[in-house]
């Protein structure tokens, strides 16, 4: 089980990660990550789409165990939510672990070799035009050059 200091439990904390963070997807899991002033806190979300209560609880326990084992390897200053997709119900422990390790690598959560234990997490910048915009004005259209 995750230590209490590493648990994300309140609905408002989950909502903050969803609103302010970035996400990465895999066929089994989705990972939402946001920066937090200190610590490493993670939450797990398994909807009824995954299956009945026994199946959801099994998936949740597996994900929490993977997080418990991997969290010490990750940078400080992050809050994250792992969302199980319906395919996670049939996945083995090893498949779930591989999916979460891949998502964490893509989100740059693990510390690099030689980095200090208390290295802070910084969210990677999105690349390309495929990232969706959330708020604010759309980017200005390029206009004619002003030679004046």
């Amino acid at each position: 089980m995750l230590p209490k200091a590493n648990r994300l439990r309140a609905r408002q904390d989950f909502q903050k990660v969803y609103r302010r963070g970035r996400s990465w997807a895999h066929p089994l899991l989705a990972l939402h990550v946001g920066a937090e002033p200190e610590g490493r806190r993670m939450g797990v979300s398994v909807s009824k789409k995954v299956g009945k209560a026994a199946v959801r609880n099994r998936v949740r326990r597996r994900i929490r165990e993977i997080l418990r084992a991997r969290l010490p390897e990750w940078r400080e200053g992050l809050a994250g939510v792992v969302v199980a997709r319906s395919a996670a119900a049939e996945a083995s422990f090893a498949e779930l672990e591989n999916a979460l390790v891949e998502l964490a690598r893509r989100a740059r959560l693990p510390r690099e070799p030689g980095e200090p234990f208390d290295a802070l997490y910084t969210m990677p910048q999105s690349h390309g035009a495929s990232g969706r915009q959330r708020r604010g004005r759309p980017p200005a259209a390029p206009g004619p050059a002003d030679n004046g």
Side-chain angles (χ1 to χ4, degrees):
M1 177 175 276
L2 278 174
K4 274 192 174 186
N6 297 122
R7 290 185 211 158
L8 201 62
R9 305 243 345 193
R11 178 178 166 81
Q12 66 189 29
D13 293 338
F14 278 73
Q15 293 298 324
K16 190 187 306 182
V17 172
Y18 292 140
R19 275 194 318 273
R20 297 183 185 166
R22 286 199 49 208
S23 64
W24 291 265
H26 184 276
L28 298 177
L29 304 170
L31 176 65
H32 298 263
V33 180
E36 189 170 86
E38 58 186 47
R40 288 174 237 139
R41 298 188 330 140
M42 297 295 294
V44 179
S45 176
V46 183
S47 78
K48 289 185 179 182
K49 293 178 187 177
V50 175
K52 295 192 181 242
V55 173
R56 293 194 311 268
N57 288 333
R58 183 179 66 236
V59 169
R60 190 178 297 115
R61 283 192 308 269
R62 287 177 173 182
I63 292 171
R64 284 181 181 155
E65 175 57 23
I66 295 164
L67 287 172
R68 186 197 62 76
R70 296 290 178 160
L71 210 54
E73 305 167 2
W74 293 355
R75 293 181 170 106
E76 288 283 326
L78 66 94
V81 177
V82 179
V83 180
R85 295 184 162 188
S86 55
E90 288 82 38
S92 69
F93 184 88
E95 291 170 330
L96 287 173
E97 185 172 29
N98 291 338
L100 190 54
V101 167
E102 179 188 329
L103 289 171
R105 181 191 52 77
R106 287 171 39 200
R108 296 187 185 137
L109 300 182
R111 288 188 308 273
E112 297 293 328
E115 256 188 320
F117 182 74
D118 60 349
L120 285 178
Y121 176 73
T122 55
M123 281 201 298
Q125 299 297 316
S126 61
H127 298 289
S130 64
R132 69 174 198 231
Q133 274 192 320
R134 295 196 176 187
R135 289 191 188 94
R137 299 187 336 206
D146 185 19
N147 293 338

